[in-house]
Amino acid sequence: MKDLNIIFAGFGGQGVLFAGKVTAYAGLIEGKELSWLPSYGPEMRGGTANCSVCISEQPIGSPLVTAPNVLVAMNQPSLQRFIDGVEPGGLVILDSSLIDLTIGRADVTVHRVPASALAEENGLKGLANMILVGKLFHELGFCPPETLDQAIEKCVPARRAAMLELNRRAVALGAEQ
């Protein structure tokens, strides 16, 4: 497996930290070296939020991702902030429901997923983040499907058990995109 250096970015409240946590947890279950480093403004909801996720076969020198090979952007300011740092040959997955910006780089692969609209249309309001995780999984296959499911089970708290199946549906929907 190639090392993954991922930045998940969006507004606070969009679930970018949760998306990163699920992805990192899948790496943990698989016995990989990993780091998950959240970053958010003091205003939290509505402010900026992002997290760096590193998954590797080798020890990780720094948890901070400055040159991601994957960017998952959930809003336009986040895309604008991080797009220039994506490594050539990298992957960009964005929520095209909220981002209409043209990517001026030919050296990255861009997947536009109308995640917010899909979530709304499919009774999965608030799960655009997990639709994008499903797309990430589809594109990179960073773990076996059962591992991703175990990571979701582990990350959805018991008090929100009703959200477990909705998260699974969101990931499956994203994988179809």
Side-chain angles (χ1 to χ4, degrees):
M1 175 188 90
K2 179 183 174 191
D3 288 355
L4 291 179
N5 294 301
I6 309 168
I7 291 182
F8 291 88
F11 291 129
Q14 285 185 298
V16 294
L17 302 182
F18 183 79
K21 185 177 178 181
V22 168
T23 304
Y25 217 99
L28 180 67
I29 292 169
E30 287 295 305
K32 308 292 186 206
E33 299 289 324
L34 70 96
S35 68
W36 175 78
L37 181 66
S39 174
Y40 46 86
E43 58 280 339
M44 300 264 286
R45 266 194 202 282
T48 60
N50 66 79
C51 69
S52 297
V53 175
C54 303
I55 302 175
S56 178
E57 298 286 343
Q58 306 299 319
I60 296 167
S62 171
L64 185 62
V65 174
T66 56
N69 51 22
V70 179
L71 171 62
V72 177
M74 293 193 67
N75 64 19
Q76 198 152 309
S78 295
L79 178 67
Q80 290 171 311
R81 177 176 174 195
F82 293 108
I83 187 64
D84 291 338
V86 178
E87 290 180 352
L91 175 67
V92 177
I93 299 173
L94 57 86
D95 184 346
S96 61
S97 299
L98 303 176
I99 301 171
D100 61 3
L101 197 64
T102 300
I103 308 295
R105 294 185 56 183
D107 63 342
V108 294
T109 301
V110 178
H111 292 280
R112 296 176 175 278
V113 179
S116 293
L118 285 168
E120 193 73 35
E121 293 164 8
N122 288 279
L124 301 168
K125 187 174 176 161
L127 292 174
N129 61 332
M130 296 307 287
I131 290 173
L132 295 177
V133 168
K135 181 62 173 175
L136 175 67
F137 174 75
H138 175 76
E139 293 304 318
L140 298 181
F142 56 87
C143 67
E146 55 276 1
T147 298
L148 183 56
D149 190 63
Q150 288 173 0
I152 294 167
E153 283 182 13
K154 188 68 177 175
C155 293
V156 173
R159 71 182 189 283
R160 308 228 33 219
M163 294 298 295
L164 186 58
E165 193 53 41
L166 296 175
N167 276 275
R168 287 177 172 140
R169 284 183 37 214
V171 168
L173 183 59
E176 294 171 2
Q177 302 307 305

